Amino acid sequence: MKKGRVFSGARPTGRQHIGNYLGAIQNYVGLQQTYECIYCIVDVHALTTLEETHLLKENTREMMLDWLAAGLDPEKSILFIQSHVPEVMELHTLLSMVTPLSWLLRVATFKEKVKAQPHNVNYGLVGYPVLMTADIVLYKADTVPVGEDQLPHLEVAREIVRRFHYLFGPTFPEPKAKLTTFPLVLGLDGERKMSKSYDNDIELAASPEETTQRIMTAFTDPARQYRSDPGHPEVCNVYSLHHFYNREQLVEIAEQCRGAAIGCVDCKQLLADAVNEALVPFRERRAEIAQRTGHVDEVLADGARRAHAIAKETIKEVKEKMGLP
Ligand code: TRP
């Protein structure tokens, strides 16, 4: 007997990086054991910023390949693309009728977007949390694994659900956030979290050579100008990545850095070797899946079919409750 139903969504950012893996994907994979899981690539949400729409197809595919190679299992979970189950857009419209505009205008991420893209403050951007609510409740999910940045959206989702229940009677589980406990994974610039958009990431699917080259560009302790300068691992970004990939040698690496027994290049090489070693099984699986013609498309079609079976029941119930003839 499973504990409950998980839903989570992620925007189609293309090839995933180790920050995505450590922060989200690994967690998704683990939850498959104890929950009924539904994982979705939210391509409609991506349209709210209208960035690189010509890449949406490719990015979605590459991302799903990474998910599969990392251990998301279509036998255990429903894996699909948001727009393939169009009922979510129907539910978005219906839920928008019970959502006071004031709730949406005060969401911090909305205000940030207004600042970031003043030339494109579209209606869809205001409705972002409503669409997210529709994602979750269309599948009657009760548990939503997300990072801390999504908590305000989850709060709106819960408020919408409560208001719907007040108006039309109990219908959905009140979705609870399940916080990813993983610490922040810094990017190669050592300043911001790892993100494709900051170009400071280490891709899971890169070749070992590319990975090593990339890690060699990382910023380290700025006080360490010369090879003979003593280092400060506690402020070094490369050292922070050793936490994930060289757990056993952490103390040793720190000592060698402080005593200038190893230089930053040596330290990066150690990291690159460990990352490459950790990614061997992932890369093998990815190559194997990529060469199975049509496999990703089949997984997606099957996921959409299973998701649709749930969605159509919910939409029927919602329409009836809202009095639509
Ligand atoms: N807003 C989420 C993000 O940017 C993505 C998302 C869309 C989502 N719908 C969701 C997350 C439903 C959890 C549940 O990361």
Side-chain angles (χ1 to χ4, degrees), residues 28-261:
Y28 290 177
V29 173
L31 291 168
Q32 296 182 121
Q33 306 311 325
T34 34
Y35 289 85
E36 206 186 317
C37 294
I38 307 179
Y39 298 120
C40 176
I41 298 183
V42 294
D43 54 345
V44 183
H45 275 107
L47 290 180
T48 57
T49 50
L50 284 182
E51 271 164 322
E52 303 191 308
T53 50
H54 63 290
L55 295 179
L56 267 182
K57 250 204 171 96
E58 182 63 14
N59 280 346
T60 306
R61 219 196 112 74
E62 290 287 319
M63 186 160 161
M64 190 50 78
L65 251 177
D66 282 345
W67 278 10
L68 294 170
L72 288 186
D73 181 352
E75 303 278 312
K76 295 190 186 132
S77 302
I78 299 181
L79 308 173
F80 76 110
I81 311 284
Q82 188 182 30
S83 68
H84 291 181
V85 184
E87 277 83 355
V88 75
M89 296 181 253
E90 219 175 331
L91 186 56
H92 167 259
T93 301
L94 296 173
L95 293 179
S96 77
M97 307 306 171
V98 306
T99 310
L101 188 55
S102 59
W103 292 1
L104 302 176
L105 296 179
R106 71 174 185 230
V107 174
T109 46
F110 172 67
K111 294 188 199 163
E112 281 158 26
K113 282 287 181 223
V114 172
K115 274 198 198 129
Q117 52 181 65
H119 52 284
N120 183 21
V121 182
N122 60 67
Y123 175 57
L125 209 50
V126 188
Y128 189 107
V130 186
L131 183 57
M132 190 162 150
T133 307
D135 277 329
I136 300 164
V137 305
L138 184 58
Y139 303 103
K140 299 206 172 178
D142 45 47
T143 306
V144 186
V146 281
E148 212 161 315
D149 62 317
Q150 295 299 313
L151 289 182
H153 291 153
L154 245 276
E155 208 33 63
V156 174
R158 293 161 63 82
E159 282 174 20
I160 294 175
V161 166
R162 285 187 211 122
R163 193 162 153 78
F164 187 95
H165 291 174
Y166 171 74
L167 294 167
F168 303 112
T171 309
F172 310 109
E174 250 185 52
K176 287 182 304 296
K178 190 171 175 58
L179 269 187
T180 309
T181 46
F182 235 82
L184 178 72
V185 182
L186 277 181
L188 294 171
D189 55 6
E191 282 172 12
R192 297 175 290 186
K193 75 170 194 180
M194 188 173 286
S195 161
K196 188 173 188 123
S197 54
Y198 301 145
D199 191 26
N200 65 1
D201 59 326
I202 303 172
E203 266 184 14
L204 296 171
S207 69
E209 298 72 32
E210 284 165 337
T211 305
T212 305
Q213 251 175 31
R214 188 96 176 131
I215 290 176
M216 287 298 163
T217 68
F219 282 74
T220 53
D221 170 12
R224 205 168 176 199
Q225 301 277 5
Y226 299 101
R227 170 73 173 71
S228 54
D229 290 340
H232 306 84
E234 62 287 352
V235 301
C236 179
N237 167 44
V238 170
Y239 187 70
S240 81
L241 290 170
H242 277 300
H243 279 94
F244 306 114
Y245 292 95
N246 263 325
R247 271 235 143 266
E248 266 99 77
Q249 285 108 290
L250 270 183
V251 177
E252 197 181 323
I253 294 170
E255 272 170 14
Q256 291 177 329
C257 169
R258 284 200 189 93

